[in-house]
Amino acid sequence: MKGLTTLWKAFRTVCIVQLILVAFKGMFSLREIFIQANAGVGIINIIAYALVFIFVYHGLSMLNYNYPDVPLSPKQKRWFNILYLLNFILIAFLFAQIVNCWWMVPFVFDFSNISSNKGAWFYIAAMVLIAWAIFIIHFIFLAGMFKLRRAIYQNTINTWYDQFDQKP
């Protein structure tokens, strides 16, 4: 059994950062249900962020328990495939979140607002940066999950071949 390479350790760190950001946005969406008049948008946000969170958690558990050569169970494969497809659809949702925050960008770069109201400026800047960070990290995560699934498959197949190629 091989240990994790530096690239997979960095991927694990990206997963943890994504879990934190998505959990934060999910809790923020939960708050929106009680504050805004339209609770449907908040519920959709919570469902979308929960699906992203579940997929990232599933990927992190695959990295911890299945990498490098423990084969995936049929249930793990099925969940991976379903969540992988759903998260490609959720890329559109994450992009919509960026577009939704786009009106805030002029306020972030207006430096006169920083001196007048630092709390509001910090809030607006954080919302824009978190939306962009989640979107970019999610692309990195989807590519990493594809490579992880292929690496686990290749290592499992190689282990099986090595097992039968050994002479007594």
Side-chain angles (χ1 to χ4, degrees):
M1 177 156 163
K2 301 179 261 180
L4 289 175
T5 62
T6 306
L7 187 63
W8 288 117
K9 288 178 183 177
F11 180 72
R12 181 188 289 168
T13 305
V14 167
C15 289
I16 292 170
V17 169
Q18 183 76 334
L19 281 175
I20 292 168
L21 290 175
V22 169
F24 175 75
K25 285 294 279 187
M27 290 299 137
F28 187 74
S29 297
L30 182 65
R31 183 186 72 97
E32 287 178 2
I33 290 175
F34 299 110
I35 292 177
Q36 292 182 351
N38 188 0
V41 174
I43 292 171
I44 291 171
N45 287 345
I46 288 172
I47 292 169
Y49 286 123
L51 287 172
V52 172
F53 187 88
I54 290 168
F55 187 52
V56 174
Y57 180 76
H58 183 69
L60 198 56
S61 69
M62 279 176 49
L63 183 62
N64 289 333
Y65 299 119
N66 295 98
Y67 184 80
D69 56 1
V70 177
L72 297 174
S73 69
K75 184 177 180 181
Q76 283 178 312
K77 289 179 186 177
R78 184 177 60 246
W79 272 107
F80 176 86
N81 291 338
I82 291 169
L83 290 171
Y84 197 77
L85 291 174
L86 284 174
N87 276 279
F88 266 107
I89 294 169
L90 288 174
I91 287 175
F93 170 79
L94 295 174
F95 184 71
Q97 293 295 320
I98 290 174
V99 171
N100 191 28
C101 291
W102 199 255
W103 66 271
M104 294 185 220
V105 172
F107 296 108
V108 171
F109 292 109
D110 184 12
F111 296 111
S112 63
N113 287 339
I114 297 172
S115 60
S116 64
N117 194 350
K118 289 182 183 179
W121 181 85
F122 181 74
Y123 176 77
I124 290 171
M127 288 296 110
V128 170
L129 290 176
I130 288 173
W132 273 100
I134 289 174
F135 183 68
I136 292 169
I137 290 173
H138 200 65
F139 272 119
I140 294 168
F141 178 74
L142 286 173
M145 285 301 293
F146 179 75
K147 288 185 179 222
L148 177 65
R149 176 91 186 261
R150 287 189 77 194
I152 290 172
Y153 177 74
Q154 284 295 341
N155 291 337
T156 303
I157 294 297
N158 291 340
T159 303
W160 287 344
Y161 285 150
D162 292 342
Q163 179 182 10
F164 292 113
D165 286 342
Q166 292 178 355
K167 295 179 182 173

